[in-house]
Amino acid sequence: QGPLVESGGGLAQAGGSLRLSCRSSRAILSVFSPATMGWYRQAPGLEREQVAQITGDKITNYADSVKGRFTISRDNSRKTAYLQMNSLKPEDSGAYYCYMMTTNDQTFWGQGTQVTVSS
C-alpha cells in the first residue's frame, strides 16, 4: 500500500458525476491535517494538468477547465480528501493522481485512478 490510497474513478456519461477519494495511509497520518492535498490528471497525448488543490486551511484552487464543476474538500478526522466531479465532459477523461504536499515540502502520491467520460 502506498502513502495515499485513491478510489472512486470509473466510467460516467457526459453530464454525470463521480467522486474521487484520497486517503492517507497509516504511515503519514500525522502530517495530513496541515498538508496541501490535490489532484493532477493526465490524458493521453496531453500535458499533466493540476485540477484542484486544498490547503490545510481549506483554501481551494481550481484549474479554469473545472471551475464551477469540481469541488475539492477534505475531512481531517478521516484523513481523506475528496474531489467531487459534476457535469463531467469527455475531456475530463484521464488518469487522476492525488498528492499530498507536507509543510516541510515532502510530496506523496496516490496510485492513480482512471476516469472515463463517454459522450
Side-chain angles (χ1 to χ4, degrees), residues 40-57:
Y40 278 87
R41 67 185 178 190
Q42 178 78 60
L46 298 178
E47 292 187 358
R48 187 178 68 169
E49 178 184 25
Q50 183 172 16
V51 176
Q53 74 172 32
I54 183 168
T55 69
D57 295 327

Side-chain angles (χ1 to χ4, degrees), residues 70-115:
F70 289 13
T71 302
I72 190 169
S73 61
R74 64 191 298 160
D75 184 338
N76 288 341
S77 67
R78 296 181 183 271
K79 309 301 184 187
T80 302
Y82 303 95
L83 185 67
Q84 178 67 43
M85 305 185 294
N86 298 330
S87 302
L88 283 164
K89 303 176 180 180
E91 51 264 43
D92 293 320
S93 298
Y96 283 68
Y97 297 91
C98 75
Y99 67 89
M100 172 195 288
M101 188 165 60
T102 70
T103 54
N104 63 350
D105 292 331
Q106 283 183 292
T107 302
F108 300 98
W109 291 93
Q111 81 278 15
T113 187
Q114 184 67 33
V115 170

Side-chain angles (χ1 to χ4, degrees), residues 6 14 17 21 27-28 30-32 35-36 39 47 52 56 69 71 73-75 87-88 91 98-99 105 118-119:
E6 295 189 64
S17 298
S21 298
I28 55 172
S30 62
V31 299
F32 180 89
T36 293
W39 269 269
E47 292 187 358
R69 300 187 298 119
T71 302
S73 61
R74 64 191 298 160
D75 184 338
S87 302
L88 283 164
E91 51 264 43
C98 75
Y99 67 89
D105 292 331
S118 62
S119 58

